[in-house]
Amino acid sequence: MPSVRLGFGLLAALAAGGAVVLLGYCVYLDRRRRRDLAIRRCLGDQRRAEQSKAQAQARQLWDPAKKEKLQEFFLQEVQMGKFCLARGEHGMGVEHLTNALLVCGQPKELLTFYKHTLPPEVFQMLLYKIPLICQQLEADMYEQKYLKDDPY
């Protein structure tokens, strides 16, 4: 029995020693990474590139021409939705109203407006349709990003 205890004690000591060596090596690499100027420059360059890319995307997002096109699209979808609902085509009307809701700058206010003006069954159809359209929009955006990043 004493040999088994000695074996477990030796194994535990080796494991503790290995952990201390590993921790020491991690501290050494971290200090080296922090002090190395080439690594710091590389990380700084990457951060600056990401920031400029994000700023360029933000500028494109708030382009006045795009904003006008979105407003035109919003008004067109609302009109088409009203037209379809007036003709009794509730499915197509809800589709157009959902599209208008997606591009609207203030969706909560538009939803409250819809709640007061639309018949309850049409409003329920609209509420049911919103998550489905959002999922489709996210999938389209992901696919667009994937195709945009693909070099081929």
Side-chain angles (χ1 to χ4, degrees), residues 49-66:
E50 288 174 4
Q51 286 176 350
S52 65
K53 186 177 179 182
Q55 288 174 352
Q57 287 177 347
R59 276 186 244 120
Q60 287 178 351
L61 202 65
W62 295 108
D63 186 18
K66 284 186 179 181

Side-chain angles (χ1 to χ4, degrees), residues 9-143:
L10 186 60
L11 186 63
L14 283 174
V20 168
V21 168
L22 180 67
L23 183 64
Y25 187 66
C26 289
V27 169
Y28 163 75
L29 284 179
D30 186 53
R31 282 190 174 181
R32 186 173 167 206
R33 177 187 61 87
R34 288 177 187 243
R35 291 184 179 153
D36 192 3
L37 293 177
I39 292 175
R40 291 172 76 185
R41 268 191 228 116
C42 181
L43 289 175
D45 292 342
Q46 286 177 352
R47 285 188 192 125
R48 281 188 287 279
E50 288 174 4
Q51 286 176 350
S52 65
K53 186 177 179 182
Q55 288 174 352
Q57 287 177 347
R59 276 186 244 120
Q60 287 178 351
L61 202 65
W62 295 108
D63 186 18
K66 284 186 179 181
K67 191 173 182 180
E68 288 177 13
K69 287 182 181 179
L70 276 177
Q71 287 177 348
E72 289 176 17
F73 178 73
F74 170 75
L75 292 174
Q76 178 185 357
E77 289 296 313
V78 169
Q79 289 173 351
M80 289 297 295
K82 283 183 184 179
F83 181 72
C84 290
L85 288 175
R87 289 182 22 196
E89 298 174 358
H90 296 298
M92 287 301 295
V94 168
E95 185 83 26
H96 287 292
L97 293 176
T98 308
N99 291 339
L101 185 65
L102 286 175
V103 297
C104 179
Q106 299 169 338
K108 287 183 181 179
E109 286 79 11
L110 187 60
L111 267 177
T112 57
F113 176 75
Y114 284 162
K115 184 177 182 180
H116 295 297
T117 58
L118 294 176
E121 62 274 358
V122 174
F123 184 70
Q124 287 300 320
M125 288 173 61
L126 179 73
L127 290 179
Y128 176 75
K129 192 82 168 166
I130 291 172
L132 301 175
I133 296 291
C134 288
Q135 288 174 353
Q136 181 182 359
L137 182 67
E138 286 177 0
D140 290 344
M141 288 175 65
Y142 177 75
E143 182 179 314

Side-chain angles (χ1 to χ4, degrees), residues 137-150:
L137 182 67
E138 286 177 0
D140 290 344
M141 288 175 65
Y142 177 75
E143 182 179 314
Q144 205 173 40
K145 180 183 179 221
Y146 177 73
L147 292 175
K148 183 177 168 185
D149 292 342
D150 192 12

